[in-house]
Amino acid sequence: MLKITIISDNTTAFRDLKSEWGFSALIEVENTPLILFDTGADSQILLHNMEKLKISPKSIQCVFISHSHWDHTGGLRDFLKLNPEVKLYVPEDFCDDVKAKEIIKVKDSTKIYENVFSTGTLKGIEQSLVIKKGEEVVIIVGCSHSGVGEILKESEKFGRPKALIGGLHGFSEFSLIKDLDLICATHCTQYKDKIKELYPEKFIEGGAGRVIEI
């Protein structure tokens, strides 16, 4: 079982949730502690949406920060006030003075849990989360600043890329994603409509509250 619940995004999938320029998602992998991927831009919106989605901050044991930009780390400090007992995986250049049970700065590809990996901080900019399911992998990205091609190439070390979920920024090399089974382009994706037009059978709308089960 793999379940991704989008907590913060530029849009909402449900009326009682709030949108923002930011991204955060809850990652649920079978027999694995809960992972919070990024923390959005605004802690009030993050915590409001978590409450509405019935996600308790104290239930989370791992926080994974894709990169240091404010729209992915804005909720981190207040989240850690509610739950400092987490492992915090951050890119190697992360320098915010935050308090957590354990802070791991990631440079190279790293095993986080069984079948859960970081790509490593690619191009010194950003790490992505890779979840292995059999011979395939699901990739969760923040903004893809290091390039979708680079992320896919690194993820192939763990298995065939099956799904790509998250912000794709100005990505326009659309042929790179033709072999994926699922694409959920969120947050900062500039050419979301084009991706949807090219791959309508693979495209899933994002938005706060969207649940993707793979």
Side-chain angles (χ1 to χ4, degrees):
M1 184 274 290
L2 171 57
K3 180 179 177 183
I4 297 109
T5 303
I6 299 176
I7 300 171
S8 294
D9 198 359
N10 297 20
T11 61
T12 64
F14 298 99
R15 187 177 299 174
D16 58 349
L17 300 178
K18 295 180 179 180
S19 62
E20 62 165 344
W21 182 266
F23 187 71
S24 178
L26 181 72
I27 314 299
E28 298 178 70
V29 183
E30 192 171 11
N31 300 320
T32 300
L34 294 178
I35 302 168
L36 181 65
F37 180 99
D38 287 345
T39 61
D42 186 303
S43 61
Q44 291 185 338
I45 290 175
L46 175 78
L47 297 174
H48 168 86
N49 287 356
M50 289 181 75
E51 181 180 5
K52 291 294 184 181
L53 292 166
K54 295 182 170 47
I55 300 169
S56 168
K58 291 190 178 297
S59 69
I60 292 166
Q61 297 179 43
C62 174
V63 177
F64 183 98
I65 298 295
S66 64
H67 62 297
S68 299
H69 292 176
W70 62 272
D71 48 338
H72 296 259
T73 62
L76 180 60
R77 195 174 296 273
D78 283 348
F79 173 87
L80 290 174
K81 288 177 183 176
L82 297 174
N83 181 6
E85 297 297 310
V86 295
K87 281 189 174 183
L88 176 60
Y89 287 84
V90 296
E92 61 176 335
D93 67 345
F94 188 85
C95 58
D96 283 11
D97 182 22
V98 295
K99 308 295 184 191
K101 180 180 180 180
E102 185 177 359
I103 299 175
I104 300 102
K105 290 195 172 186
V106 178
K107 179 180 180 181
D108 301 315
S109 60
T110 300
K111 182 177 179 179
I112 296 174
Y113 296 115
E114 189 67 31
N115 295 319
V116 180
F117 305 88
S118 166
T119 58
T121 306
L122 302 181
K123 296 185 178 179
I125 303 171
E126 183 173 345
Q127 61 173 338
S128 299
L129 193 67
V130 180
I131 300 150
K132 188 171 173 62
K133 288 179 62 67
E135 299 302 313
E136 300 175 319
V137 295
V138 174
I139 307 158
I140 318 295
V141 295
C143 277
S144 305
H145 289 297
S146 54
V148 170
E150 188 75 14
I151 294 166
L152 291 174
K153 180 181 176 183
E154 191 65 30
S155 300
E156 284 173 355
K157 295 178 180 178
F158 304 104
R160 182 189 80 85
K162 175 184 177 70
L164 182 64
I165 299 164
L168 306 182
H169 219 270
F171 167 69
S172 60
E173 297 175 88
F174 305 121
S175 62
L176 291 178
I177 57 176
K178 65 181 175 61
D179 293 327
L180 296 174
D181 299 339
L182 183 152
I183 303 157
C184 181
T186 67
H187 179 40
C188 59
T189 306
Q190 185 175 348
Y191 300 112
K192 188 186 298 184
D193 289 343
K194 185 64 176 179
I195 295 169
K196 184 177 180 179
E197 176 189 326
L198 288 170
Y199 304 111
E201 74 286 356
K202 303 177 183 185
F203 189 88
I204 293 178
E205 294 285 355
R210 177 71 61 204
V211 175
I212 301 168
E213 296 188 66
I214 302 173

